[in-house]
Amino acid sequence: ACSSKYVLSQIHPMWQEPLAIPGGDRQSPIDIAVRKSVFDSELKPLVYDYDPQTCQQIWNNGYSFLVEYDDTTDKSTLKGGPLQDTFRLCQFHFHWGESNAWGSEHTVDRRLFPAELHLVHWNADRYSLFEEAVMEDNGLAVIGVFLKVGKRHEGLQKLVDALPAIRHKDSVVEFTRFDPACLLPANTDDYWTYHGSLTTPPLTESVSWMVMKQHIEVSHDQLAVFRSLLFTSAEEDVQRSMVNNFRVQQSLCSRTVRSSFS
Ligand SMILES: NS(=O)(=O)c1ccc(C(=O)NCc2ccc(F)cc2F)cc1
């Protein structure tokens, strides 16, 4: 799938892969083969500075649920790590399975996690809008955090409590004063990084990925509420549970995954 511009459409849990992907040799997600990743001592710690006051709303977009932030100023930013510029947080969302056995998009030595958090940022030093940055090589930076089922995540509960109000596609409710830093693991210095793409259409190859080595824990019941969401809007006669909203792994092609830790 690296050389050809056409990918064979595998069985997809959520949508039919497009036949042609622009470039197609730096797609996401991927399997992170730990022993093949290369330690890069030049990689700095991530520097995030999130202002909970910029949190605006939570909505169901028919793929996942998104918590959106005001990205019209440099109030919630990410820099450092492999990044040359300052990136603005625009939203975070999750991907999960119908069971705890699978659901993440990235895997580590083929190991699947029940869910994965994505914090999405765009390069505000070079572009003026997310929509612009999403088309550019160095336009986006996404932090990936694996979720494991275990103890209840206190910070997540405020978000879980808002989900019943956005059960259907295109529903939105006000959601304020949420600090996304509470969803990051204790250790954000250890991560893998590689150049990839959005994992949902338009699949543009504009993402610097930083996948955290350390996972966070959420309870079985909290994850069950994610699965109570629906892909479908209120008007549709057949309602479909929002589960398995992940893309299957893509070829690494000629890419190398770097690690910030040895
Ligand atoms: N899962 S992921 O972290 O890789 C991911 C992150 C963001 C988006 C997204 O914003 N899509 C909508 C969208 C909105 C506007 C636009 F110009 C392009 C565009 F993809 C899709 C996937």
Side-chain angles (χ1 to χ4, degrees), residues 21-252:
I21 294 169
D25 56 2
R26 51 170 281 195
Q27 288 290 294
S28 294
I30 59 167
D31 174 54
I32 297 166
V34 174
R35 285 176 297 285
K36 288 186 187 157
S37 64
V38 177
F39 169 61
D40 180 349
S41 58
E42 305 272 300
L43 286 171
K44 302 179 185 64
L46 289 182
V47 178
Y48 53 88
D49 177 10
Y50 297 140
D51 176 356
Q53 299 296 336
T54 58
C55 188
Q56 290 182 317
Q57 60 188 20
I58 184 169
W59 69 292
N60 178 333
N61 72 347
Y63 281 135
S64 179
F65 64 90
L66 312 182
V67 177
E68 292 193 314
Y69 285 75
D70 167 20
D71 60 0
T72 55
T73 70
D74 261 352
K75 281 209 182 117
S76 289
T77 57
L78 172 68
K79 55 186 197 279
L83 306 173
Q84 309 302 325
D85 298 318
T86 296
F87 288 68
R88 272 186 207 160
L89 174 70
C90 60
Q91 53 106 328
F92 69 81
H93 64 274
F94 297 81
H95 301 262
W96 61 90
E98 66 193 281
S99 92
N100 293 338
W102 65 82
S104 62
E105 297 212 297
H106 292 89
T107 50
V108 179
D109 287 343
R110 296 287 167 199
R111 174 185 178 190
L112 289 155
F113 291 83
E116 184 174 333
L117 160 65
H118 290 156
L119 294 133
V120 183
H121 313 75
W122 56 276
N123 190 330
D125 281 351
R126 292 175 193 262
Y127 309 108
S128 47
L129 282 176
F130 170 81
E131 283 72 12
E132 212 184 307
V134 79
M135 308 309 287
E136 304 296 332
D137 231 25
N138 55 3
L140 302 185
V142 181
I143 296 176
V145 181
F146 294 116
L147 275 63
K148 268 186 77 178
V149 175
K151 66 182 187 309
R152 183 181 138 106
H153 193 298
E154 291 312 323
L156 184 73
Q157 195 54 38
K158 177 181 175 184
L159 189 153
V160 167
D161 290 339
L163 296 185
I166 56 162
R167 276 198 83 203
H168 289 103
K169 179 181 177 205
D170 297 332
S171 46
V172 54
V173 289
E174 188 188 47
F175 192 70
T176 57
R177 289 183 301 283
F178 185 83
D179 180 4
C182 83
L183 297 176
L184 292 172
N187 171 9
T188 57
D189 291 350
D190 293 355
Y191 57 86
W192 293 282
T193 184
Y194 76 99
H195 292 293
S197 73
L198 297 182
T199 66
T200 62
L203 303 171
T204 40
E205 299 182 330
S206 55
V207 182
S208 292
W209 278 96
M210 287 144 292
V211 178
M212 295 292 116
K213 178 187 172 196
Q214 191 176 57
H215 62 266
I216 60 169
E217 277 193 21
V218 303
S219 72
H220 177 88
D221 291 355
Q222 288 178 316
L223 212 41
V225 181
F226 284 22
R227 301 187 184 110
S228 73
L229 293 172
L230 300 168
F231 279 129
T232 41
S233 55
E235 299 72 47
E236 295 177 59
D237 354 358
V238 179
Q239 299 295 332
R240 287 181 297 109
S241 295
M242 185 179 275
V243 291
N244 300 329
N245 56 357
F246 55 85
R247 190 189 190 194
V248 292
Q249 272 95 40
Q250 305 295 307
S251 312
L252 186 60

